Amino acid sequence: MISSGSTLAEDIRYALNHWQGLTRFLEDGRLELDTNPVENAIRPVCLTRKNALFAGHEVGAENWALLASIVATCKLNDVNPAAYIAETLETIIDGHPHSRIEDLMPWRFRKTSSQPQ
């Protein structure tokens, strides 16, 4: 028996309330118990976002954050950021329809053009 107001009781309640999520990795072998790889992958994005606060101008900070987000998304999708940005800008200039913007996302970018030259 433990006191219902104790830290241990709070921890037990938390585990019971999140039991389905805590045991989900047992049902699906693709899921990892450890979230460190994901946290390490997004850490540079978070640091860049925080650093953008000190860009000197609000518009500059927004542009910096936008570019940093594009570069980070490219890296997460194993896409060369410079090749992606260059080809995407060319495609937009050539009149790519706004209704098909999803086709221009980094995860849809051709992997063959992503290899460094």
Side-chain angles (χ1 to χ4, degrees):
M1 300 292 301
I2 58 172
S3 169
S4 64
S6 71
T7 303
L8 178 59
E10 290 176 23
D11 293 341
I12 291 171
R13 274 193 299 278
Y14 177 87
L16 291 174
N17 288 334
H18 294 87
W19 191 253
Q20 184 177 4
L22 292 170
T23 58
R24 177 81 171 125
F25 77 99
L26 296 172
E27 300 163 4
D28 188 343
R30 297 172 296 170
L31 300 178
E32 294 284 337
L33 177 61
D34 185 11
T35 61
N36 282 338
V38 173
E39 292 172 12
N40 289 337
I42 66 171
R43 184 169 288 117
V45 176
C46 294
L47 288 175
T48 300
R49 184 182 65 222
K50 288 173 91 173
N51 290 337
L53 294 173
F54 304 102
H57 191 276
E58 186 176 341
V59 174
E62 288 174 2
N63 290 333
W64 181 15
L66 176 66
L67 184 59
S69 176
I70 290 170
V71 170
T73 302
C74 285
K75 288 180 179 181
L76 288 172
N77 286 279
D78 294 322
V79 169
N80 178 337
Y84 167 77
I85 291 169
E87 189 170 320
T88 301
L89 289 175
E90 287 175 16
T91 303
I92 291 169
I93 290 169
D94 290 341
H96 186 84
H98 184 70
S99 61
R100 293 184 38 224
I101 197 77
E102 183 68 26
D103 296 343
L104 300 178
M105 295 296 118
W107 49 88
R108 293 249 177 111
F109 191 69
R110 294 187 325 274
K111 299 292 183 185
T112 55
S113 64
S114 300
Q115 302 305 319
Q117 299 173 348

